[in-house]
Amino acid sequence: WAVLLNIIDNKGGGDSPRKLRSAVTRPPSCWEGFKMQAKGLWRACYGPFIADHLPGDRKNRLKFADAKNPGSTKAVCSTKPIDLNDIKMIKSQLPDATVNDVLMTLTCLTLRNYYAKYEPSTLKQSVRANMPISMRKEGDEDIFNPLVFGNNFSQGQLSFPIHLEDPMEIFRSMKAQIDVIKVSPEPLVRHALVKMLTVGSPIPHRTAAALVLDQFGKVTAMLSNVVGPMQEVEFMGKTLDDMSFYAMVPLGLYFGIVQYKGWIKVGICCDSGLEPEPQRLAECWEEAFQALRKAAEFAMPEVTNTIVAQAV
C-alpha cells in the first residue's frame, strides 16, 4: 500500500494518509491517565506471553477448527460506499470519538448482526480479530529506500463484545480497547518476538512458520483500515474512479475498510468453505450503519446535557 500511494499522482493535494493519524484521547485526570498507561503495560505482558498460549476462539461460522489447515478458496464482495461526512457526523455525536472508533464499532455491530441471523449461539462466545499496526516512524517518506522498503507492521488485537445489544455500549467497549492499544507497548513486544523467530533464529523455517500461523489463527478474523487519498488521483495516467482491496489471509474472514475520495467501503473476503456468500456480511454492515446512526442521534441530547452539567 505504501508503494501504491507513492506511485499515484495526487491532483487535488490535501492530507496524505501518513498525516491522518488517530489521536489519543486526553484522559480526564492524571489518575485516569495513569490507569490507562497501566492497562497498556499489562496488555503488553498479558497478550504476547499469556493470552497467546491460551485456547483461541472456538470454531464458529467464520472460524476454522484447525488454524494450521485453512481453506484454499475465497469468496469476496464489497459493501456499498458510505459518505465519510456521515461517519464524521456520527463521530461528532459520540463523546471523544474518532472516525476509527466509529468504524470499529460498525465492524462489531456487523458481526453481531451476522451471528444473530445465522449462528446465534456464537453471541455467547469470544470473537476476536487481528489488525496490522504500522511500525514506520514519522518521516519514513522515501519508501524506496532499502532501509524502509516493504511491509513493516506489528499485530494488534480487538475483542468484539457481540453479546451486547446496545450500540452505545458496544461503542464504549470498543473505544476503551482502542484507547489502551494506542498507549500500549504491545505492538513493540509482538514485533520483537516475531523478528526473533524469523530473523537469524536457529528454529527451522517450517517450525517457525507453524508457530506464527498457530498464534495468528487463534482469532476469528483480520481487519484493517486504510486511509486512501482524500482527492481523486491517477495511477499511471489513468483516473481512479474507485478503490477497494482484499487480503487472502489464512483466516475465515478478512474485513478491509478503505477510504477514498470522501467515501468509505469495505472489502470482505471469506473462506468459501465457511461462508460462500460474503454479501450477507455486506448487508449486515449497512444495517449496522443505520443502527449506529440512529443510536447516536438519540445519544446526542444526553451527551449535550452532560457537558452542560459539567460546565455548571
Side-chain angles (χ1 to χ4, degrees):
W1 271 104
V3 175
L4 171 60
L5 296 175
N6 192 68
I7 293 176
I8 54 181
D9 306 311
N10 191 336
K11 298 192 297 184
D15 290 333
S16 69
R18 209 173 290 280
K19 297 178 182 178
L20 297 173
R21 296 183 181 271
S22 184
V24 177
T25 301
R26 182 186 296 273
S29 66
C30 291
W31 173 243
E32 290 299 323
F34 172 78
K35 288 198 295 184
M36 185 178 294
Q37 293 287 344
K39 289 179 181 178
L41 289 172
W42 168 247
R43 187 182 181 99
C45 297
Y46 178 79
F49 299 108
I50 300 177
D52 282 359
H53 302 285
L54 298 175
D57 295 353
R58 283 188 288 172
K59 184 185 183 309
N60 60 62
R61 191 180 174 93
L62 298 173
K63 170 76 166 61
F64 293 116
D66 182 3
K68 294 181 180 179
N69 293 287
S72 57
T73 58
K74 298 291 183 180
V76 302
C77 79
S78 292
T79 63
K80 296 177 181 178
I82 295 176
D83 193 329
L84 178 59
N85 289 325
D86 289 339
I87 298 295
K88 290 182 177 180
M89 178 60 71
I90 295 174
K91 175 185 80 74
S92 68
Q93 295 170 325
L94 300 175
D96 299 320
T98 66
V99 168
N100 192 56
D101 294 336
V102 174
L103 293 175
M104 293 302 100
T105 301
L106 284 176
T107 303
C108 182
L109 281 167
T110 298
L111 291 172
R112 175 181 166 72
N113 291 347
Y114 175 82
Y115 285 118
K117 285 183 180 181
Y118 303 109
E119 195 178 51
S121 61
T122 301
L123 295 176
K124 300 177 182 179
Q125 298 178 193
S126 170
V127 173
R128 298 173 296 168
N130 287 328
M131 58 182 181
I133 297 177
S134 175
M135 299 299 291
R136 292 189 183 278
K137 300 177 182 178
E138 291 283 355
D140 283 351
E141 299 292 343
D142 183 10
I143 52 88
F144 291 108
N145 185 329
L147 296 177
V148 298
F149 182 78
N151 292 323
N152 185 15
F153 59 86
S154 184
Q155 172 186 308
Q157 196 173 99
L158 282 173
S159 178
F160 295 111
I162 59 173
H163 63 284
L164 299 175
E165 295 184 21
D166 183 2
M168 293 306 298
E169 289 187 35
I170 291 176
F171 162 73
R172 286 188 283 270
S173 176
M174 297 303 298
K175 178 172 176 55
Q177 291 184 67
I178 293 169
D179 285 348
V180 171
I181 290 173
K182 289 176 183 177
V183 300
S184 176
E186 180 185 14
L188 297 173
V189 174
R190 290 187 178 278
H191 188 259
L193 289 174
V194 172
K195 194 172 182 179
M196 182 177 67
L197 280 174
T198 57
V199 180
S201 171
I203 300 176
H205 292 307
R206 188 179 295 274
T207 303
L211 287 171
V212 172
L213 187 60
D214 182 60
Q215 298 303 316
F216 185 80
K218 287 182 178 291
V219 302
T220 298
M222 181 176 180
L223 59 89
S224 62
N225 178 17
V226 176
V227 182
M230 295 295 103
Q231 307 294 330
E232 187 174 81
V233 296
E234 293 182 351
F235 180 66
M236 300 181 70
K238 300 294 183 180
T239 300
L240 289 183
D241 297 323
D242 191 15
M243 187 180 292
S244 60
F245 68 97
Y246 309 99
M248 308 301 172
V249 296
L251 292 172
L253 171 64
Y254 179 81
F255 211 75
I257 303 171
V258 63
Q259 303 176 38
Y260 176 56
K261 284 198 314 183
W263 295 89
I264 291 177
K265 64 189 302 187
V266 182
I268 302 172
C269 179
C270 297
D271 180 86
S272 57
L274 296 175
E275 176 51 88
E277 298 182 34
Q279 186 61 37
R280 291 171 176 168
L281 281 154
E283 293 169 357
C284 290
W285 167 265
E286 294 168 21
E287 295 168 2
F289 171 69
Q290 298 299 335
L292 184 58
R293 180 160 64 176
K294 185 176 180 179
E297 290 173 354
F298 279 108
M300 187 61 182
E302 178 183 342
V303 173
T304 302
N305 292 337
T306 302
I307 294 174
V308 171
Q310 291 176 345
V312 172

